[in-house]
Amino acid sequence: TSELAIRAFANGPRTELRLIEIEGPRGEGKTTTGIWCHAALAERVIADGYSSALPIKSGVIRDTWVNIQRTTVDAFLQARAKGAPIEFFNQQHDCMLYGADGFPLVHFYFFGLDRPDQADNLQGFQCGVLWLEEIAPAASMSAGIPAEALGLGVTSVRQEGIPGRILLTFIPPPPD
């Protein structure tokens, strides 16, 4: 599943906005797959001769800043501990993924959206990738991401030279 998601994320016509969903149970590597989807897209941008458009700007949105810190940032730290060239800055509100040569490939911006009106934080933000992490409520432990985040966030996916992508990673919600 991860391999298919990474390929689907990186491939396709340059002008096609793609929406990729990765769903599965806790601890199965959805966030790690998301990181490698970005790396594959950056490699494709370089292969297409658009390296001057890098780094890819990725807006990573989760329901709360606390949950970003507790799970999403933790997954990035685990990837770094395993050798991924990731550097955090701005008090872990941002991080950069580098290529083997130290060239910046992806700049991740982390957003916590606790309420629908916080989707306004995306106004004026331009990115190549919009990543909605854990979009659905999980066993009543969170409210999930407000629908407005996707509606407004899609208008942010317009980084020149980068094929636009929307990534949804989530645990399947309960049927009710």
Side-chain angles (χ1 to χ4, degrees):
T1 301
S2 294
E3 183 179 339
L4 292 174
I6 292 167
R7 282 191 197 152
F9 202 81
N11 295 327
R14 290 194 59 77
T15 57
E16 179 180 71
L17 176 64
R18 285 194 162 190
L19 180 128
I20 306 296
E21 294 182 13
I22 303 171
E23 66 175 87
R26 292 178 60 202
E28 291 295 313
K30 297 178 297 294
T31 304
T32 301
T33 298
I35 295 168
W36 298 121
C37 282
H38 285 77
L41 182 60
E43 288 176 5
R44 184 257 172 99
V45 168
I46 292 168
D48 285 354
Y50 289 88
S51 59
S52 63
L54 296 175
I56 296 169
K57 295 177 184 175
S58 181
V60 184
I61 300 172
R62 179 99 197 236
D63 58 346
T64 67
W65 174 247
V66 170
N67 283 339
I68 286 175
Q69 284 284 310
R70 199 173 61 217
T71 61
T72 306
V73 168
D74 186 60
F76 276 76
L77 289 169
Q78 289 176 33
R80 183 173 73 179
K82 292 176 183 172
I86 294 173
E87 178 185 347
F88 286 90
F89 48 98
N90 192 19
Q91 297 177 325
Q92 292 187 326
H93 283 78
D94 298 44
C95 77
M96 191 74 72
L97 174 66
Y98 295 95
D101 58 358
F103 187 78
L105 299 178
V106 185
H107 185 155
F108 295 95
Y109 298 83
F110 299 111
F111 295 91
L113 300 181
D114 300 78
R115 301 181 318 271
D117 64 327
Q118 288 180 320
D120 290 344
N121 294 341
L122 297 172
Q123 285 187 342
F125 181 70
Q126 292 185 27
C127 59
V129 177
L130 177 69
W131 181 357
L132 303 181
E133 172 86 326
E134 297 298 351
I135 57 173
S140 301
M141 293 174 61
S142 76
I145 295 174
E148 293 84 355
L150 178 59
L152 186 56
V154 165
T155 66
S156 298
V157 182
R158 58 186 192 274
Q159 184 180 354
E160 194 164 330
I162 305 297
R165 299 291 184 260
I166 299 168
L167 179 61
L168 308 176
T169 52
F170 59 100
I171 298 169
D176 59 344

